[in-house]
Amino acid sequence: QVQLVESGGGLVQAGGSLRLSCAASGFTLDYYNIGWFRQAPGKEREGVSCISGSDGSTYYADSVKGRFTISRDNAKNTVYLQMNSLKPEDTAVYYCATGFYVTYYSDPDEWDYWGQGTQVTVSS
């Protein structure tokens, strides 16, 4: 049974930092792609970052590049998203997802399994 559980969200002031965690069970994540997505009220779900299960390559949306860092700890079967210099426009529910075969990383429809999400709120 594949399960993903996000944690680490919360309320933070603009300019602050948070680290999100995505804990996987039912599979060994080092062979799978892991993506982070976010969805703000009234907006479409958008890709934020992903890390490849084949070669470890990473992707970042232009809106977060230079501020967010994705990493993987295979021993803990967990992927992290370090978020620095947070802005009010980063406010959203953040989801992690996994897929074995992904070609267009920012397309939510290409991912197979999703966590329940964790709320990130950045105050101005």
Side-chain angles (χ1 to χ4, degrees), residues 9-51:
L11 175 64
V12 65
Q13 292 183 332
S17 298
L18 288 172
R19 189 179 75 161
L20 306 183
S21 299
C22 176
S25 62
F27 69 103
T28 301
L29 62 76
D30 59 329
Y31 290 103
Y32 291 82
N33 307 295
I34 302 293
W36 285 99
F37 296 78
R38 66 187 182 187
Q39 188 166 20
K43 295 187 176 182
E44 297 286 331
R45 188 170 299 187
E46 64 174 342
V48 176
S49 181
C50 71
I51 186 166

Side-chain angles (χ1 to χ4, degrees), residues 29-87:
L29 62 76
D30 59 329
Y31 290 103
Y32 291 82
N33 307 295
I34 302 293
W36 285 99
F37 296 78
R38 66 187 182 187
Q39 188 166 20
K43 295 187 176 182
E44 297 286 331
R45 188 170 299 187
E46 64 174 342
V48 176
S49 181
C50 71
I51 186 166
S52 171
S54 59
D55 61 4
S57 60
T58 58
Y59 161 86
Y60 298 96
D62 290 341
S63 59
V64 306
K65 194 171 186 178
R67 299 188 297 121
F68 292 9
T69 303
I70 191 170
S71 62
R72 177 172 57 202
D73 187 338
N74 290 336
K76 296 182 178 180
N77 220 33
T78 299
V79 170
Y80 303 96
L81 184 68
Q82 179 67 46
M83 306 187 296
N84 298 326
S85 302
L86 284 163
K87 305 175 181 180

